[in-house]
Amino acid sequence: SDEGVQVEDMYGYDLQHLSLARGSVMVLPDTESRHEVRHFYEFDTWSFEPLLRGGNVPQEILQRISMPDWEKVWHKLTVTNPNEAPLTTSPTTIFEKGQPLAQEMVRYTPPKGESVLPITIAVDVPGSVRESETGREHGKLNAMNRSWDLVSCKGTINLVNKKKIPVEVTVKRHVLGKILETTGGGKSEATSEGWSEFLSKLWEDSNRQYYWNWWNNYGYYPAVNPISLATWKVTLKPGEQMTLEYTSTYYENR
């Protein structure tokens, strides 16, 4: 039928009067529609200080957090579902001018909802982050039978648009600590967004007990430091270079 049937959280299509010979294979499109898409770029990064300052970080963890897809600007698509029926989870191939760009998985998207599809690392929109210590107050906090230094940091994020068209970039910087100020219209908030993804990438295909033992050695850091997120939404003209800055503090056990 042309219309599907929704039962609770499931949605399906009934196929009637269909004959198929033994051993035959049929590909049967059930719907066709036009979807509005919006191109955007995302630079999502994590600050690992002070977790990595101890010098005893397992080499496997160092290798994982320097994976080539981390700290890169990603080209993504926002796909709007205009239908009265949902888009169910399925493989999706993205074409432009007849050329395949990527093959991704579209997640369940309700009617009139949106779904984000990653395409590729944006080599024409490079980004970099630099964070440096600007001050330290020794013994600022006593907690959990430890003495903590209050460390001040300054972070600088650089973006360059080497494309011939303007690009919209969402910049996210996750910090274990408190973000004090941002430039360029950035907004900051206390959040846990991204931290579970960070941990899952570390634990992927690895011995979870091993990683848990390592994280236990540093588990007291989140007890005295919030997880903060700074977000910017900027538009870069062709050839434009942009610098965004933030200041932050965190407590470090020395």
Side-chain angles (χ1 to χ4, degrees), residues 137-152:
E137 298 180 60
H138 296 282
K140 188 66 174 178
L141 175 68
N142 290 308
M144 292 174 289
N145 297 320
R146 294 179 173 89
S147 178
W148 301 81
D149 295 347
L150 181 61
V151 182
S152 300

Side-chain angles (χ1 to χ4, degrees), residues 86-105:
L87 299 178
T88 55
T89 303
S90 63
T92 302
T93 304
I94 303 170
F95 292 86
E96 182 172 356
K97 297 179 181 179
Q99 299 297 320
L101 298 181
Q103 198 168 42
E104 291 292 340
M105 182 73 72

Side-chain angles (χ1 to χ4, degrees), residues 42-48 69-73 127-131 156-159 170-176 193-195 198 228-230 232 246:
E42 186 173 70
F43 191 32
D44 193 356
T45 66
W46 286 266
S47 173
F48 297 104
D69 61 332
W70 283 37
E71 305 247 329
K72 302 291 185 180
V73 179
S128 62
V129 181
R130 181 180 180 182
E131 192 172 79
T156 303
I157 302 171
N158 291 304
L159 297 168
T170 297
V171 180
K172 294 182 179 180
R173 181 62 170 172
H174 302 270
V175 173
L176 183 59
E193 179 186 347
W195 210 251
F198 166 55
S228 301
L229 171 65
W232 294 263
Y246 66 91

Side-chain angles (χ1 to χ4, degrees), residues 70-91:
W70 283 37
E71 305 247 329
K72 302 291 185 180
V73 179
W74 274 82
H75 183 186
K76 298 184 176 183
L77 285 180
T78 297
V79 181
T80 301
N81 178 17
N83 303 316
E84 297 300 327
L87 299 178
T88 55
T89 303
S90 63

Side-chain angles (χ1 to χ4, degrees), residues 232-253:
W232 294 263
K233 290 188 177 182
V234 299
T235 300
L236 295 177
K237 299 177 182 178
E240 183 178 4
Q241 179 174 340
M242 182 174 294
T243 299
L244 306 171
E245 296 179 337
Y246 66 91
T247 57
S248 63
T249 59
Y250 63 84
Y251 286 106
E252 181 179 23
N253 174 241

Side-chain angles (χ1 to χ4, degrees), residues 203-221:
W203 283 349
E204 185 178 4
D205 298 328
S206 298
N207 187 319
R208 286 177 177 263
Q209 184 64 38
Y210 166 78
Y211 281 95
W212 180 247
N213 290 338
W214 180 76
W215 276 100
N216 269 344
N217 295 331
Y218 293 86
Y220 44 75
Y221 276 102

Side-chain angles (χ1 to χ4, degrees), residues 97-115:
K97 297 179 181 179
Q99 299 297 320
L101 298 181
Q103 198 168 42
E104 291 292 340
M105 182 73 72
V106 65
R107 302 301 178 182
Y108 179 93
T109 309
K112 315 304 179 185
E114 292 184 343
S115 185

